[in-house]
């Protein structure tokens, strides 16, 4: 598991070295957040990563949205910050900027490439064991065409050996198209990067989530934030994860925020006290789907049953390191259903299964301090018989994210 820090728009406006020490200068952490010192700084992050056995993924500032420092000055600051973290914790990946294509930065792909190049060269020279990750553009924006941005970026860095980061927000206009389109665009970007670089790209989705609706700064935008962490968001996040997991060039999918009690996209909510944390619906969905990150995901065909233009079902089989078979499913149907699955290797077998399902009474439900199980995980178990064609019928709860783990009881 990788934990990305500091993540989000904050990474394009601060130097991580400024989050170290006792006297920390006030920083603006996001467009909607007040100016304040960052109490969870670089060293606290490194210690936390070590405590939970995660991997450190650092985002460095190559843009400097507020100060516009020269690129070579940023490269020196970035090297200092990286060395400070490495003194406490190993780092696997360094992401060079967060969203350089945002209008406020005024950068096209070529200009972004020039901005990041001094830091990239410093990484190649002084930190050769750390993978650099650069930000490619997913959806075409009003002011930038994705294909042109990505071409300019690759050319500006001389087709360097880098990984690529993509961000996708979906399912909430005007900020997000349907999940189906997001996944289709992800496939298109993979193929474009393959053509531009002449090699299979290594792609990471380092941010994704359900857009709440409206635009940042609109009156009432905060009231829409529950759309990023309710049961409807859990279904959309699960559908994107299941779809992206079946694209071989996508090596990982990271959710936007670990904890954001005063913002959208949280994985945790906070009660009355600072240490009183409980999971959001999207975290529960990710926890149920975590086996997808621990095994070999197989490309899985599903029926394109749709209602109102929205796909009702998406699924992926995964084979674990121990050889066990699992099935991840997101089901948007409003009624419980029976899903027919086909696994030729299990033909003629009686198979027991254990499952975990994320469920709620309605799609607008989300967990609060007074209703911490409005969205919850429930266990399911049973057995099914696969016929001679390898087909069996599984029960599907309504509007749920489910992971089935199968045990073959006849060999």
């Amino acid at each position: 598991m990788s934990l990305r820090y500091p993540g989000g728009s904050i990474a394009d406006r601060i130097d991580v070295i400024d989050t170290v020490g006792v006297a920390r200068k006030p920083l603006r952490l996001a467009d909607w957040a007040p100016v304040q010192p960052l109490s969870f700084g670089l060293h606290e992050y490194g210690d936390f990563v070590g405590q939970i056995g995660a991997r450190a993924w650092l985002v460095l500032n190559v843009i400097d949205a507020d100060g516009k420092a020269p690129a070579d000055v940023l490269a020196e600051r970035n090297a200092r910050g990286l060395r400070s973290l490495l003194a406490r914790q190993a780092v696997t990946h360094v992401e060079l900027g967060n969203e350089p294509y945002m209008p406020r930065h005024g950068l096209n792909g070529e200009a972004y490439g020039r901005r990041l190049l001094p830091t990239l060269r410093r990484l190649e020279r002084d930190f050769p064991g750390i993978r650099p990750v650069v930000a490619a553009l997913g959806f075409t924006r009003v002011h930038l065409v994705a294909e042109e941005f990505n071409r300019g970026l690759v050319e500006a860095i001389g087709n360097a050996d880098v990984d690529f980061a993509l961000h996708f927000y979906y399912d909430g206009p005007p900020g997000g198209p349907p999940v189906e389109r997001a996944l289709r665009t992800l496939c298109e970007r993979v193929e474009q990067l393959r053509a531009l670089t002449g090699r299979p790209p290594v792609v990471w989705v380092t941010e994704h989530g359900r857009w709440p609706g409206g635009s940042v700064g609109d009156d009432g935008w905060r009231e829409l934030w529950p759309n990023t962490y309710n049961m409807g968001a859990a279904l959309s996040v699960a559908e994107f994860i299941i779809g992206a997991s079946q694209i071989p060039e996508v090596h990982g999918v990271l959710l936007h925020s670990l904890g954001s009690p005063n913002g959208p996209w949280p994985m945790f909510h906070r009660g009355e006290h600072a240490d009183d944390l409980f999971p959001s619906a999207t975290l529960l969905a990710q926890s149920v789907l975590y086996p997808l990150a621990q095994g070999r995901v197989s490309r899985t065909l599903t029926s394109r049953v749709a209602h109102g233009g929205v796909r009702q079902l998406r699924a992926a089989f995964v084979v674990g390191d121990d050889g066990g078979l699992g099935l991840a499913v997101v089901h948007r149907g409003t009624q419980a259903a029976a899903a027919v699955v086909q696994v030729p290797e299990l033909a003629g077998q009686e198979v027991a299964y254990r499952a975990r399902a994320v469920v709620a009474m309605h799609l607008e439900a989300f967990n609060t301090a007074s209703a911490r199980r409005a969205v919850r995980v429930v266990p399911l178990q049973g057995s099914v018989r696969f016929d001679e064609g390898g087909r069996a019928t599984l029960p599907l709860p309504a509007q749920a994210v489910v992971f089935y783990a199968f045990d073959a009881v006849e060999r």
Side-chain angles (χ1 to χ4, degrees), residues 124-172:
E124 293 171 337
R125 187 188 75 192
D126 297 344
F127 309 96
I130 298 175
R131 284 298 296 169
V133 185
V134 301
L137 180 55
F139 289 127
T140 286
R141 306 179 74 88
V142 173
H143 65 294
L144 287 174
V145 176
E147 291 85 347
E148 295 175 0
F149 181 94
N150 296 337
R151 183 180 300 107
L153 166 62
V154 171
E155 291 175 354
I157 63 176
N159 196 12
D161 180 19
V162 297
D163 296 356
F164 294 93
L166 288 167
H167 292 181
F168 289 96
Y169 289 89
Y170 39 75
D171 198 22

Side-chain angles (χ1 to χ4, degrees), residues 3 14-15 34 52 88 101 111 135 175 178 204 220 245 266 270 274 282 288 292 296-297 329 341 394:
L3 291 183
I14 72 164
D15 297 319
I52 66 172
R88 310 173 82 91
Y101 36 76
W204 303 85
S245 72
R270 181 177 293 166
T282 48
V288 164
L292 290 174
R296 177 174 52 83
V297 178
V329 181
V341 297
L394 277 174

